[in-house]
Amino acid sequence: MYSRRILRRTRTGAWLLAAALLVSGCSSEDATSAGSAAAEEPAAVLAPLPRSTPASLTRYYEQKPAWRDCGVSGFQCATLKAPLDYAEPSAGDVRLAVTRKRATGPGKRLGSLLVNPGGPGGSAIGYVQAYAGIGYPADVRARYDMVAVDPRGVARSEPVECLDGPEMDAYTRTDITPDDAKETDALVAAYKKFAEGCGADAPKLLRHVSTVEAARDMDIVRAALGDRKLNFVGASYGTFLGATYAGLFPDRAGRLVLDGAMDPSLPARRLNMEQTGGFGTAFTAFAKDCVRHGDCPLGGRGTAPARAGENLKAFFDRLDARPMPTGDADGRRLTESLATIGVIAAMYDEGAWPQLRDSLTTAMRENDGAGLLALSDSYYERDAGGGYTNLMFANAAVNCLDLPPAFDSPDQVRRALPAFEKASPVFGEGLAWASLNCAYWPVGATGEARRIEAKGAAPIVVVGTTRDPATPYRWAEALAGQLSSARLLTYEGDGHTAYGRGSACVDSAINAYLLDGTPPRKGKRCS
């Protein structure tokens, strides 16, 4: 994997939960401070679907995959169909791309293991072919067929497209900390152009890329694979997808690992603000590490994290006034927004901290923004030729359909700024404004915040990392508290997700569950 993408995936391959300028949210009353739990209505509970398959869906459940070679050693590919609209199956189909790598043996085959790296918008096929299908523990790959399906609207499954490369370049440079009415209008115009592009590309599909529909698609895939139950490992947003499946089909939920868990009961304004707090926690950990090194540009040994954050924020302010040269072939300069995303990208994996420290040093001391631009490009999945994958487009499409917009107007954002900035003095302002994007989405949200209990499901393993930047540990505790059969596995550490990231304790616990069906003991913690 080339260097510009190394930070788009952690060592487990977990994708980013959400993207700046693309974070979804949920509205509440203007007078309510962001994050106020007291003002929110209790979340409803996701109701399971009937156990019997409706006659209108029989043709989908009876599909047999026509496997073919797909040009990646050891993998086969196929295409399955799902109804575009489950409420009206006769209205048309959506094509789902699927890949698998057969179990290698020895040992009794345990069926299929579906994996999803999150996003929303991450390609599960790309993930399994580049990592999970060759990098998961040998014992797991020996006994499971490694399988992935790109969710509807993502990558190979009828991808949503919104902007071309140059348009995305302009979008990612948009100032996300507007200082006046003119800059606010420019940000709103960028959101509107993005949304209009998505609506023009896929006016029908855009109404049907919700997580509930993607979870129902997974049940069709399960049936097509011939499995009685779904075995699944989901990271980040993939935990929401997996939990939703368990809530809809508790009797068909097999061995589910939900790593880097989301809390599905949160309205998205709280979701966004708590994620902002997660990035604040991660930055504190980075700052403490950075100042131990003589080359840290944020301060010398003993500098408090708060002071290091002030130094970084001052650097962002300088970029806001005067973008920095990068030597980029397309003439792009490092703006405040691009630099912020570059720093956020490195928060996902503590293994990237040295690279971030070097990039900040080069920028702050040598006026060269190339390193931070590369980190930003890795986050946005921009290639050297100026092209983008559809990750950012699918991310917005799913998020804006799953929950109503966090804010309906710039005035609402301004009123919420103090709460976001308290959650993260460094990132709060930008992430608050990023939560405005769904206000201009061309289709209304179809989902809502709901608790997921999945009563009757087999044991489900929920994994939480104590200093996870993108999915705060509290979310793992919350999801484990909702799921009736959950076992919470805690990793005391940094970075996003835990499985396959170097903890033998975490890996052995999850492997035992996948291979033997034995969940971790209650209260198990690893470091």
Side-chain angles (χ1 to χ4, degrees):
M1 188 177 300
Y2 58 96
S3 61
R4 296 186 77 167
R5 287 201 183 178
I6 194 166
L7 289 176
R8 274 300 308 142
R9 302 173 177 85
T10 67
R11 279 169 283 174
T12 61
W15 296 75
L16 309 187
L17 168 68
L21 295 181
L22 295 174
V23 182
S24 71
C26 181
S27 61
S28 55
E29 294 301 317
D30 290 357
T32 301
S33 63
S36 173
E40 293 163 4
E41 293 292 330
V45 176
L46 179 65
L49 293 170
R51 292 191 178 191
S52 59
T53 301
S56 59
L57 299 180
T58 300
R59 66 185 181 95
Y60 297 105
Y61 274 83
E62 292 181 347
Q63 293 177 93
K64 302 298 180 185
W67 296 108
R68 62 187 185 279
D69 179 80
C70 49
V72 179
S73 179
F75 287 89
Q76 298 172 303
C77 290
T79 301
L80 296 173
K81 292 181 179 180
L84 175 67
D85 183 355
Y86 277 91
E88 192 177 350
S90 62
D93 299 332
V94 59
R95 296 181 300 278
L96 304 174
V98 186
T99 190
R100 74 173 178 183
K101 186 177 184 183
R102 300 302 299 269
T104 57
K108 180 182 178 182
R109 181 180 174 276
L110 296 174
S112 305
L113 180 64
L114 269 71
V115 296
N116 183 280
S123 172
I125 290 178
Y127 170 65
V128 77
Q129 291 180 348
Y131 172 72
I134 57 178
Y136 265 32
D139 288 348
V140 173
R141 291 182 286 114
R143 301 184 63 189
Y144 284 100
D145 290 349
M146 299 297 297
V147 178
V149 53
D150 279 345
R152 53 176 62 201
V154 174
R156 297 165 177 83
S157 294
E158 300 196 21
V160 173
E161 302 289 346
C162 304
L163 302 176
D164 62 23
E167 289 171 333
M168 270 299 288
D169 281 347
Y171 184 71
T172 60
R173 291 195 299 267
T174 303
D175 188 348
I176 56 171
T177 57
D179 300 316
D180 53 33
K182 182 179 179 180
E183 290 183 354
T184 301
D185 289 345
L187 179 59
V188 169
Y191 287 147
K192 288 181 176 179
K193 181 174 181 179
F194 186 99
E196 289 165 0
C198 295
D201 174 73
K204 293 182 179 179
L205 181 62
L206 214 61
R207 291 174 168 82
H208 298 288
V209 292
S210 69
T211 297
V212 165
E213 288 162 315
R216 297 190 69 172
D217 293 345
M218 286 205 303
D219 198 52
I220 289 174
V221 174
R222 173 202 59 78
L225 295 170
D227 292 329
R228 188 173 64 87
K229 293 194 173 186
L230 180 85
N231 302 307
F232 177 82
V233 177
S236 195
Y237 162 80
T239 67
F240 180 35
L241 180 61
T244 299
Y245 180 90
L248 295 174
F249 306 102
D251 58 310
R252 300 174 194 170
R255 298 172 187 176
L256 270 59
V257 177
L258 308 180
D259 183 12
M262 290 181 63
D263 180 356
S265 73
L266 292 181
R269 186 184 294 192
R270 275 195 65 194
L271 197 75
N272 289 352
M273 196 181 72
E274 291 190 14
Q275 187 184 62
T276 298
F279 283 115
T281 298
F283 176 77
T284 295
F286 164 72
K288 289 179 178 178
D289 177 78
C290 184
V291 300
R292 295 189 185 106
H293 299 268
D295 62 342
C296 179
L298 301 180
R301 185 176 294 273
T303 300
R307 180 58 183 167
E310 291 170 2
N311 293 337
L312 180 59
K313 195 68 167 64
F315 169 63
F316 288 160
D317 290 342
R318 292 195 296 273
L319 289 175
D320 190 25
R322 180 174 295 181
M324 180 178 292
T326 63
D328 177 67
D330 295 320
R332 292 179 301 153
R333 297 174 72 85
L334 184 69
T335 62
E336 178 192 18
S337 56
L338 290 170
T340 301
I341 292 301
V343 175
I344 283 176
M347 294 296 100
Y348 283 81
D349 185 352
E350 69 273 23
W353 290 356
Q355 183 180 353
L356 175 59
R357 190 174 67 249
D358 290 344
S359 297
L360 285 171
T361 298
T362 302
M364 296 173 73
R365 295 178 178 170
E366 302 174 20
N367 198 45
D368 181 355
L372 287 174
L373 182 64
L375 290 173
S376 176
D377 284 348
S378 73
Y379 186 103
Y380 283 121
E381 292 210 329
R382 182 190 193 272
D383 62 33
Y388 291 78
T389 69
N390 101 305
L391 172 68
M392 294 294 117
F393 312 138
N395 183 281
V398 175
N399 281 334
C400 294
L401 202 61
D402 277 349
L403 293 171
F407 301 108
D408 295 328
S409 70
D411 286 342
Q412 288 188 354
V413 177
R414 292 188 187 96
R415 285 192 284 271
L417 281 176
F420 275 78
E421 290 177 317
K422 182 179 180 181
S424 173
V426 176
F427 305 120
E429 182 182 8
L431 292 180
W433 283 104
S435 305
L436 181 62
N437 71 305
C438 288
Y440 308 103
W441 205 242
V443 297
T446 57
E448 62 179 348
R450 284 179 286 198
R451 291 174 51 85
I452 300 179
E453 298 178 351
K455 292 181 179 179
I460 297 171
V461 175
V462 176
V463 188
T465 298
T466 55
R467 293 184 295 278
D468 192 312
T471 51
Y473 178 67
R474 194 206 68 75
W475 292 359
E477 293 180 305
L479 181 60
Q482 294 168 40
L483 292 169
S484 62
S485 61
R487 291 287 180 87
L488 176 62
L489 173 62
T490 298
Y491 173 56
E492 297 177 351
D494 298 292
H496 185 37
T497 72
Y499 186 41
R501 300 191 70 245
S503 170
C505 174
V506 169
D507 293 353
S508 62
I510 293 176
N511 293 341
Y513 169 70
L514 289 175
L515 295 172
D516 305 325
T518 305
R521 60 174 172 78
K522 291 184 178 179
K524 184 173 179 62
R525 301 180 77 89
C526 296
S527 59

